[in-house]
């Protein structure tokens, strides 16, 4: 068990539009979900921590009004990139952890390209 | 905050040889150390983890060692195979249900025939 999915796997959008990325835990309830961003040949950078039913906690330097996170249920969190610009192009990855452990299980990632 | 350094950045080994990747961390309070394997265009996959109450853990060809005093931990892969080629990330965190992982910079492992 411990499978995490993301949708879409890749998306191309025009500058100024908004894009929503979904993260789902398929076979477990995730009390906490995390959103990361990864630029080419770089490490994963945590953007925010999301707990079900509460507001997300953003890392320093991450604009909460630009990267909207909603954790509506124990199996779904969404990241919306608002008014996307080319510099937002990146690989966005979510992870989820079960309530009884700190192990994080990662999704397959979403490749966002903003033209 | 926590800072994790990882070496080497690239590693090339011949099939069948062993590979070792080393990480150091700065926060002595960190007590959970996972290792992830990331293939091109995919999300990271947990391959092994260790907690601070254990000095070594092994799972088939993969082992991790932890030296709390020196604040470093290492990943050992024996009998490497071409399918082991990927980027490997170490990470550190303080145990908790919402614990944040701090990742190392990654090691690109290439296993050649």
């Amino acid at each position: 068990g411990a499978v995490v999915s993301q949708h879409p796997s890749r998306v191309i959008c025009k500058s100024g539009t908004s894009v929503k990325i979904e993260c789902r835990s398929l076979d477990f309830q995730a009390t906490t979900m995390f959103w990361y961003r990864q630029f080419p040949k770089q490490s994963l950078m945590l953007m925010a921590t999301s707990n079900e039913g509460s507001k997300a906690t953003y890392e320093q330097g991450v604009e909460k009004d630009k990267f909207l996170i909603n954790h509506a249920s124990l199996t779904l969190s969404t990241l919306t990139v608002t008014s996307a610009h080319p510099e937002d192009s990146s690989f966005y990855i979510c992870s989820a952890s079960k309530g009884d452990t700190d192990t994080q299980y990662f999704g397959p990632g979403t490749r966002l390209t903003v033209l | 905050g926590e800072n994790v350094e990882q070496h080497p950045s690239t590693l090339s080994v011949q099939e069948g040889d062993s590979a070792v990747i080393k990480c150091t961390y700065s926060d002595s309070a960190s007590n959970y150390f996972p290792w992830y394997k990331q293939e091109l265009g995919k999300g990271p996959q947990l391959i092994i983890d260790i907690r601070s109450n254990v000095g070594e853990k092994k799972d088939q060809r993969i082992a991790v060692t932890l030296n709390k005093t020196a604040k470093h931990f290492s990943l050992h892969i024996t009998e490497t195979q071409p399918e082991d080629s990927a980027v490997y990330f170490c990470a550190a965190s303080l145990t908790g249900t919402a614990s944040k992982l701090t990742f190392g910079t990654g090691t690109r492992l290439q296993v050649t025939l």
Side-chain angles (χ1 to χ4, degrees):
Chain A
V3 179
V4 177
S5 70
Q6 279 183 243
H7 179 80
S9 58
R10 56 180 62 205
V11 56
I12 301 173
C13 69
K14 292 183 179 180
S15 185
T17 61
S18 294
V19 174
K20 180 185 285 188
I21 302 170
E22 291 186 349
C23 176
R24 294 182 184 271
S25 56
L26 299 185
D27 52 1
F28 66 99
Q29 293 187 328
T31 53
T32 306
M33 287 185 169
F34 303 83
W35 286 96
Y36 294 84
R37 180 166 52 184
Q38 186 179 35
F39 291 107
K41 297 187 178 181
Q42 293 190 21
S43 189
L44 288 81
M45 297 302 295
L46 179 65
M47 299 175 66
T49 302
S50 168
N51 291 291
E52 186 263 341
S54 62
K55 291 183 178 181
T57 301
Y58 290 82
E59 294 299 297
Q60 191 173 6
V62 178
E63 300 176 57
K64 62 179 182 180
D65 293 331
K66 181 169 183 61
F67 299 99
L68 301 178
I69 292 172
N70 184 283
H71 194 158
S73 74
L74 286 172
T75 60
L76 173 65
S77 177
T78 60
L79 168 68
T80 301
V81 183
T82 62
S83 186
H85 291 284
E87 56 266 31
D88 297 324
S89 298
S90 188
F91 194 50
Y92 291 87
I93 314 171
C94 71
S95 71
S97 62
K98 303 177 183 180
D100 58 349
T101 179
D102 45 20
T103 302
Q104 290 187 30
Y105 301 95
F106 283 81
T110 296
R111 173 78 55 194
L112 170 63
T113 302
V114 184
L115 302 177
Chain B
E2 176 67 279
N3 181 52
V4 178
E5 295 187 357
Q6 184 172 347
H7 298 281
S9 57
T10 60
L11 179 60
S12 182
V13 299
Q14 285 197 323
E15 183 180 9
D17 288 350
S18 296
V20 180
I21 303 171
K22 299 181 179 182
C23 289
T24 60
Y25 60 99
S26 61
D27 189 349
S28 57
S30 291
N31 55 9
Y32 175 61
F33 308 93
W35 285 88
Y36 288 88
K37 174 184 180 182
Q38 186 178 29
E39 297 178 345
L40 188 63
K42 298 184 179 180
Q45 177 187 5
L46 179 69
I47 55 172
I48 196 168
D49 57 10
I50 191 168
R51 300 179 190 277
S52 59
N53 58 344
V54 176
E56 183 175 358
K57 185 177 179 180
K58 189 174 182 180
D59 183 4
Q60 300 183 333
R61 297 186 297 109
I62 295 173
V64 57
T65 59
L66 171 65
N67 184 325
K68 287 171 54 181
T69 302
K71 290 189 285 188
H72 66 71
F73 56 112
S74 301
L75 177 71
H76 304 253
I77 306 175
T78 59
E79 301 173 26
T80 54
Q81 301 167 1
E83 50 266 37
D84 294 330
S85 297
V87 179
Y88 292 80
F89 290 98
C90 63
S93 77
L94 181 63
T95 299
T97 55
S99 56
K100 299 188 296 186
L101 290 174
T102 301
F103 282 86
T105 48
T107 297
R108 184 172 301 275
L109 173 65
Q110 180 71 44
V111 180
T112 58
L113 297 173

